Amino acid sequence: MNQYPIWKNLMVLVVVLLGALYALPNLFGQDPSMEISATRDAVVDQTTQSRVEQALQQLGISVKRMEMQQQKLLVRFNSSEDQLKAMDHIAAALGEDYTPALTLAPDLPDWLIGVGAEPMYLGLDLRGGIHVLIDVDMESAITQAAERYSSDIRTLLREEKLRYVRISREDERVVVKFNTAEKRDQAIELIGNEFRNLNVKDIDQEEAFLVEVSLSPAEKQEVQRFALQQNITTLRNRVNALGISEPSIQQQGVRRIVVQLPGAQDPGKVKEILGATATLEYRLADTEHSVEDAVNGRVPPGASLYYERDGRPVLLKKRVIVTGNQIVDASSGLDQQTGSPAVFVSLDGVGAKRMRRMTNENVGRPMAVVFIENRTTTRMVDGKAVKVKRKVEEVISIATIREPFGRRFQTTGLDTTEEARDLALLLRAGALAAPIEIVEERTIGPSLGQDSIDQGFASVMIGLALVMVFMAIYYRVFGLVADMALVMNLVLIVAILSMLQATLTLPGIAGIVLTVGMAVDANVLIFQRIREEIANGNSPQASIQAGYEKAFSTIIDANITTLIAAVVLFSFGTGPIKGFAVTLAIGILTSMFTAIIGTRAVINWIYGRKRVQSLAI
Amino acid sequence: MQILKKGTYLDLMGKRKLAIYFSSVLLLIALGAIIARGLNLGIDFTGGTLVEVKYPEAIELAVVREALDKDGFSEAVVQHFGTPQEVLVRLAPQDGMESAELSDRAFRAMQGITSEAELRRVEFVGPQVGEELTEKGGLAMLYALIGILIYVGLRFEYRFAVGSVIALVHDVLITVGFFALFHVEFDLPVLAAVLAVIGYSLNDTIVVFDRIRENFRKMRKGETVEIINTSVNQTLSRTLITSGTTLLVLIALFLFGGEIIHGFALALIVGVVIGTYSSIYVASSSVISMGVSRADLMPVKKDDEVVDETP
């Protein structure tokens, strides 16, 4: 009696061994490391490695190990001081084509890597880093699209020589006014044929012949989808240039983007780079009119008044030579003549042509670079938060055109090398398709993360020890078996979390703690039943059998209901709450296995197949 | 070793009137606290900015307040967090300033006291995100209850489903009421804990119900109240032991898990205590009040199984 078939014992053994194997990587430490990846066209190869070696030799830092990975070079240091010291030096030695990023690399033996075992993936709240939730302004994406259509329609009507009175854009729709019904009908046909994705209809009012053009629902969706995708791509470019290892940029819902930057330290800088919508415009200075008059409110037609960063007024022509959209590449460096920070810019074909023509005609005249940035601020209006968009326009450089130039040229007048670098980064990373706003930000310092791990670990261990002592005293031999199951349960949770590479968060640790408390429940149910059976005068063997059998359906019912709660938590929750739900769900499943099948296997091994007078329970 | 002596039989259900009064008083206090005091919602729900800074040495809050005041953060709520070295600052959404910039400015102001101040944590939640969370949290609670109602209804009987949901609403209201009464901050982890309480308390209730079902089928004689009382008694040891071990671990979490997890652990401790009580009294009393009888729980088809269980 009370004997498991061999396959069941084997299964328990296999699960236990696999669990131990995949939980193992978490016992190994992590090396402070640097991950070097190439940006743009460069490749990471032996040359890169020798350049890094050279740079480190100059600093007198010896590394633990260097590993060539796919498209990446991993440099392991002996201490985090070495790692930090080396960072700037290596960045300088490699130049702009490479991005070094600080990271922690697990120090695993080869055979563990061979079986694909990895340590648990720690969430930002445990390892430190920045989490940003970004809302994409879809309304503005739609308005921009409408703006585009309005200008396309204008061009179309002109080309077809169809005279209209006025074209105006009202929010999401474009209204064209005609003076005869005939022209209106012609226009409806023309626009309808040309733009099949637009809704076109007449909305005549009191003697006016109006055509209303609007985006079809499908087209609106497409515009929004595109805006989100484009923004994700742009944000990814910006994030990559920040030099952070394992960044994650993901869509959330239909209008949100989550950016996670493990290890990032400076939230101000990150937000500035992510949220910036900076662009440049090149314009000629208006030297024919007086700046003083303009300051006093008499701005001449064809010109606008701008201010330099130090507040000096400048009069610029309204016509833009080239805009940021025509910039294909930008890098920062130092101006060779003056040694001041500069941004080197390359233009696309159209931009280059225009720049060449304008500079050709205007040698000797001053040209200005205008820095344009859209900032969103939140104001409280009648107790409600309202977003206000503000456009900041500053002249960052004004210089005389010495000779005609075209495709490649440089912009100077920036205050610091850092500013030059940020500007180059923004220009290179491209523009956002729609304005964004940061709606949630969570920054966790690395020391807090470490504290959380330590405290979480300590509380799991203390709780575990207390429960184990209690079980051993209360249920004696059976209690010890339950203790084994409890430890095994913990190992299995860690193994599954490691295998799934699910993110372990602080609430996740709390979930584990809770599971430890509740995991003994199944065993308590079984053991109480066994005691009852013995009290009813049944034989020890029969009591074991009956105890496990009768408790089974209760355990299933009780656990499934808890599982329902975990599933609900998972489906509604974000980040940390999801982590809690995942560990809770895994814990319920593994505890059922260890508490029902695992303990039975051990109990069978101790008591099974022999005559037993009494049970130590 | 045993908590309860062998053959202990307490007249638990006999005191269920008392329990109804007790629960009613608790519920009234909880509801009153929620209505009158309201919940001290964290920035996860209200939106706003939170900055946690650690100074190399213990620091007076007045010094921090002054530094913040100078920079225009006169409305900031400043408090120690865990140790006298750590300071937590809360800022409501402010007029005319980019929300995301707020935390940087506040930290810089705090760093002005000593440059060795270390940024431990920044949380900024937009008002709109908070609103969504409140909505989602409420919905999650509702879905969980519906899911449970269906499962218990299918596995047992509708009156048991209603009884377990009554017990759950009872537990959730009292736990939330506790947070309102003592004005403990209610944030995202606490919400998760309250949802976990649902899972836990239900777990407890189901075990009792399971025994009630079994005993209805097995015991030929006896009034409904008597059978339920026997069932509660038989599961009492288990209920107390499991709650005890869970509480042991939760207290470890509360004491050693760190400041951030405090609210979470507290909510679970309150929830487990209330959940244990409710699985003994509230759920069973509800089932009795709804007039469950033996006939309701007899297996519909498998008549032979009943014969098997006859002693």
Side-chain angles (χ1 to χ4, degrees):
Chain A
M1 209 180 175
N2 286 330
Q3 205 184 340
Y4 259 169
I6 290 185
W7 71 266
K8 243 183 180 172
N9 281 325
L10 272 179
M11 180 183 76
V12 172
L13 199 67
V14 168
V15 170
V16 166
L17 289 177
L18 276 180
L21 179 69
Y22 282 91
L24 196 59
N26 296 289
L27 294 180
F28 290 91
Q30 291 181 312
D31 290 329
S33 315
M34 188 187 297
E35 216 173 61
I36 296 164
S37 53
T39 54
R40 284 174 291 169
D41 314 324
V43 283
V44 177
D45 54 14
Q46 293 302 322
T47 336
T48 325
Q49 186 167 351
S50 53
R51 277 166 75 187
V52 172
E53 274 164 10
Q54 240 175 8
L56 289 170
Q57 242 165 30
Q58 279 175 2
L59 271 179
I61 291 177
S62 60
V63 297
K64 189 171 172 186
R65 205 160 64 229
M66 274 202 210
E67 284 162 37
M68 197 60 106
Q69 296 173 338
Q70 239 187 347
Q71 310 289 332
K72 270 180 194 162
L73 178 68
L74 187 72
V75 187
R76 293 171 185 271
F77 294 94
N78 292 312
S79 70
S80 48
E81 286 101 74
D82 282 1
Q83 177 202 30
L84 290 174
K85 233 197 302 177
M87 180 69 183
D88 289 336
H89 204 71
I90 288 182
L94 290 175
E96 288 230 340
D97 288 344
Y98 295 91
T99 313
L102 297 180
T103 179
L104 284 171
D107 185 21
L108 299 181
D110 290 339
W111 62 272
L112 262 183
I113 297 171
V115 295
E118 281 174 281
M120 282 185 282
Y121 183 82
L122 299 183
L124 293 186
D125 54 349
L126 295 179
R127 62 157 75 177
I130 299 175
H131 161 108
V132 179
L133 181 64
I134 288 167
D135 188 75
V136 180
D137 186 352
M138 288 304 180
E139 290 70 37
S140 152
I142 302 276
T143 341
Q144 279 172 19
E147 187 74 54
R148 253 192 330 269
Y149 285 119
S150 123
S151 108
D152 288 350
I153 290 167
R154 183 175 289 127
T155 318
L156 177 74
L157 295 177
R158 272 195 195 142
E159 275 171 6
E160 298 292 330
K161 300 208 164 44
L162 193 66
R163 285 185 59 112
Y164 54 85
V165 179
R166 160 169 61 84
I167 289 190
S168 56
R169 184 182 59 77
E170 290 160 12
D171 291 333
E172 295 180 8
R173 44 184 216 142
V174 175
V175 177
V176 194
K177 189 176 173 190
F178 295 94
N179 49 20
T180 67
E182 198 193 6
K183 280 183 190 156
R184 178 201 62 201
D185 294 339
Q186 273 182 338
I188 290 178
E189 207 192 321
L190 195 64
I191 300 170
N193 283 339
E194 189 75 20
F195 306 104
R196 296 196 175 273
N197 44 7
L198 296 179
N199 285 336
V200 189
K201 61 175 191 213
D202 56 295
I203 42 158
D204 291 357
Q205 320 167 321
E206 316 160 18
E207 327 243 319
F209 303 98
L210 302 177
V211 176
E212 184 199 75
V213 185
S214 59
L215 296 163
S216 66
E219 183 63 15
K220 254 191 215 171
Q221 241 176 29
E222 183 59 25
V223 166
Q224 296 185 339
R225 200 185 60 83
F226 175 80
L228 194 68
Q229 278 313 312
Q230 168 72 28
N231 276 3
I232 288 178
T233 312
T234 303
L235 289 175
R236 186 162 290 144
N237 284 333
R238 291 180 180 181
V239 164
N240 283 345
L242 279 168
I244 286 159
S245 66
E246 304 173 65
S248 135
I249 296 110
Q250 279 173 331
Q251 181 178 342
Q252 188 181 78
V254 288
R255 54 179 297 156
R256 299 249 167 97
I257 301 169
V258 182
V259 178
Q260 294 207 311
L261 307 169
Q265 296 293 310
D266 186 348
K269 168 96 171 171
V270 166
K271 280 179 284 184
E272 209 175 285
I273 297 290
L274 286 184
T277 49
T279 186
L280 292 182
E281 271 177 11
Y282 289 82
R283 294 174 189 231
L284 279 179
D286 187 336
T287 45
E288 293 100 50
H289 299 91
S290 143
V291 180
E292 279 107 66
D293 283 358
V295 172
N296 292 327
R298 288 186 297 276
V299 181
S304 328
L305 186 66
Y306 285 89
Y307 290 90
E308 287 193 57
R309 287 205 160 163
D310 54 15
R312 256 184 304 157
V314 193
L315 209 49
L316 299 182
K317 298 234 162 147
K318 266 198 176 146
R319 210 168 142 210
V320 179
I321 308 172
V322 294
T323 69
N325 292 342
Q326 286 155 326
I327 295 171
V328 290
D329 195 13
S331 60
S332 64
L334 298 178
D335 179 31
Q336 291 193 331
Q337 277 153 14
T338 60
S340 62
V343 176
F344 301 95
V345 181
S346 303
L347 298 179
D348 66 4
V350 181
K353 213 158 95 187
R354 296 189 56 167
M355 184 61 96
R356 196 168 295 123
R357 204 176 64 223
M358 292 299 287
T359 49
N360 212 356
E361 289 166 8
N362 294 292
V363 172
R365 288 197 178 156
M367 183 175 75
V369 186
V370 187
F371 177 80
I372 302 161
E373 194 177 15
N374 284 310
R375 287 188 193 143
T376 311
T377 55
T378 309
R379 288 184 157 277
M380 297 301 277
V381 177
D382 302 331
K384 276 193 166 182
V386 178
K387 279 185 275 176
V388 185
K389 282 178 201 112
R390 191 157 53 93
K391 199 172 182 184
V392 179
E393 292 177 299
E394 288 172 328
V395 173
I396 53 168
S397 139
I398 184 155
T400 310
I401 302 167
R402 290 192 211 105
E403 54 190 6
F405 53 82
R407 226 179 113 67
R408 277 187 67 84
F409 58 94
Q410 66 176 38
T411 293
T412 51
L414 297 136
D415 292 332
T416 61
T417 42
E418 200 160 44
E419 201 180 354
R421 210 165 53 222
D422 289 351
L423 182 58
L425 174 60
L426 289 175
L427 292 170
R428 196 167 61 226
L432 291 164
I436 58 170
E437 194 200 2
I438 293 175
V439 288
E440 188 185 299
E441 184 222 334
R442 289 169 199 273
T443 300
I444 307 290
S447 71
L448 183 61
Q450 193 56 50
D451 285 358
S452 297
I453 294 180
D454 296 345
Q455 289 167 339
F457 186 74
S459 53
V460 172
M461 284 307 140
I462 295 168
L464 186 68
L466 288 173
V467 173
M468 282 175 74
V469 168
F470 173 81
M471 289 297 282
I473 294 173
Y474 200 79
Y475 291 115
R476 300 193 284 160
V477 173
F478 280 72
L480 286 173
V481 175
D483 286 347
M484 281 169 67
L486 199 53
V487 172
M488 209 48 238
N489 182 33
L490 207 56
V491 171
L492 282 183
I493 294 175
V494 171
I496 291 176
L497 283 174
S498 308
M499 271 195 259
L500 294 178
Q501 285 289 292
T503 311
L504 181 71
T505 56
L506 189 57
I509 293 182
I512 296 179
V513 175
L514 185 63
T515 321
V516 167
M518 290 172 63
V520 291
D521 184 48
N523 281 129
V524 171
L525 278 166
I526 295 167
F527 297 168
Q528 285 302 122
R529 278 287 187 164
I530 297 178
R531 280 185 174 183
E532 274 179 47
E533 295 293 321
I534 293 173
N536 287 342
N538 291 320
S539 77
Q541 296 290 12
S543 298
I544 294 177
Q545 175 86 11
Y548 272 91
E549 254 168 38
K550 288 191 177 168
F552 187 73
S553 88
T554 312
I555 296 172
I556 296 289
D557 278 335
N559 281 309
I560 283 182
T561 45
T562 313
L563 212 53
I564 292 178
V567 169
V568 171
L569 266 181
F570 184 80
S571 49
F572 104 92
T574 53
I577 301 295
K578 269 203 160 75
F580 172 69
V582 168
T583 49
L584 189 63
I586 293 175
I588 291 166
L589 297 176
T590 54
S591 74
M592 272 170 39
F593 176 81
T594 54
I596 301 172
I597 300 174
T599 57
R600 187 77 196 269
V602 180
I603 297 279
N604 283 352
W605 177 70
I606 299 175
Y607 290 108
R609 248 202 311 182
K610 51 191 162 197
R611 285 187 160 271
V612 184
Q613 293 303 319
S614 66
L615 299 175
I617 186 166
Chain B
M1 191 183 138
Q2 295 205 312
I3 289 184
L4 301 169
K5 268 193 210 133
K6 235 176 231 176
T8 308
Y9 187 86
L10 303 168
D11 185 19
L12 292 165
M13 283 304 113
K15 301 191 181 62
R16 71 176 192 278
K17 283 238 168 70
L18 202 68
I20 291 173
Y21 290 133
F22 180 64
S23 284
S24 306
V25 170
L26 279 186
L27 280 174
L28 279 177
I29 295 174
L31 277 173
I34 294 171
I35 294 164
R37 290 187 67 120
L39 279 173
N40 177 13
L41 291 173
I43 65 157
D44 291 325
F45 294 98
T46 59
T49 307
L50 178 156
V51 184
E52 188 188 326
V53 174
K54 187 176 186 178
Y55 286 98
E57 280 154 26
I59 188 151
E60 293 279 324
L61 289 180
V63 180
V64 180
R65 277 201 197 101
E66 197 187 332
L68 285 166
D69 214 28
K70 234 189 291 170
D71 241 36
F73 296 107
S74 47
E75 307 278 293
V77 179
V78 185
Q79 65 185 89
H80 281 306
F81 193 67
T83 66
Q85 284 162 270
E86 278 152 280
V87 177
L88 191 70
V89 172
R90 279 166 224 270
L91 305 162
Q94 233 174 29
D95 184 28
M97 199 188 299
E98 193 161 338
S99 337
E101 266 175 24
L102 220 59
S103 53
D104 304 329
R105 285 203 30 206
F107 173 59
R108 255 172 250 136
M110 291 168 82
Q111 219 179 11
I113 302 168
T114 158
S115 61
E116 278 164 79
E118 182 198 331
L119 184 64
R120 295 267 279 181
R121 177 161 65 115
V122 169
E123 282 177 22
F124 157 71
V125 180
Q128 169 195 1
V129 177
E131 256 168 52
E132 285 169 23
L133 182 70
T134 316
E135 204 174 287
K136 267 176 144 184
L139 275 180
M141 209 82 88
L142 198 66
Y143 288 146
L145 290 179
I146 292 171
I148 287 158
L149 205 59
I150 293 172
Y151 182 79
V152 180
L154 288 176
R155 285 285 293 169
F156 293 82
E157 206 249 351
Y158 83 93
R159 271 169 282 213
F160 283 80
V162 175
S164 59
V165 169
I166 289 176
L168 289 185
V169 172
H170 170 268
D171 299 347
V172 168
L173 275 179
I174 291 176
T175 309
V176 172
F178 178 90
F179 274 74
L181 188 64
F182 295 99
H183 229 60
V184 186
E185 191 182 320
F186 196 92
D187 55 12
L188 196 55
V190 175
L191 177 67
V194 170
L195 284 160
V197 165
I198 292 186
Y200 182 84
S201 144
L202 191 68
N203 198 317
D204 250 14
T205 307
I206 294 293
V207 171
V208 178
F209 281 0
D210 221 66
R211 201 41 100 87
I212 294 176
R213 178 173 59 182
E214 187 185 321
N215 285 336
F216 262 129
R217 291 175 186 174
K218 206 164 63 183
M219 292 163 70
R220 287 280 164 112
K221 286 180 223 149
E223 291 291 307
T224 303
V225 178
E226 205 184 317
I227 291 175
I228 291 183
N229 200 38
T230 308
S231 312
V232 174
N233 265 292
Q234 283 172 341
T235 47
L236 195 57
S237 292
R238 172 266 158 198
T239 305
L240 295 178
I241 291 166
T242 303
S243 299
T245 55
T246 309
L247 279 176
L248 273 183
V249 180
L250 288 175
I251 290 167
L253 189 65
F254 183 79
L255 294 178
F256 308 107
E259 196 70 24
I260 297 179
I261 215 79
H262 253 169
F264 175 89
L266 185 64
L268 273 168
I269 289 173
V270 175
V272 167
V273 172
I274 292 295
T276 305
Y277 156 76
S278 85
S279 69
I280 296 171
Y281 273 111
V282 180
S284 324
S285 317
S286 311
V287 172
I288 294 175
S289 320
M290 280 182 285
V292 149
S293 68
R294 185 186 318 246
D296 297 325
L297 284 164
M298 281 301 160
V300 189
K301 277 179 193 167
K302 297 178 192 163
D303 287 281
D304 42 42
E305 206 180 271
V306 183
V307 177
D308 273 356
E309 283 182 7
T310 321

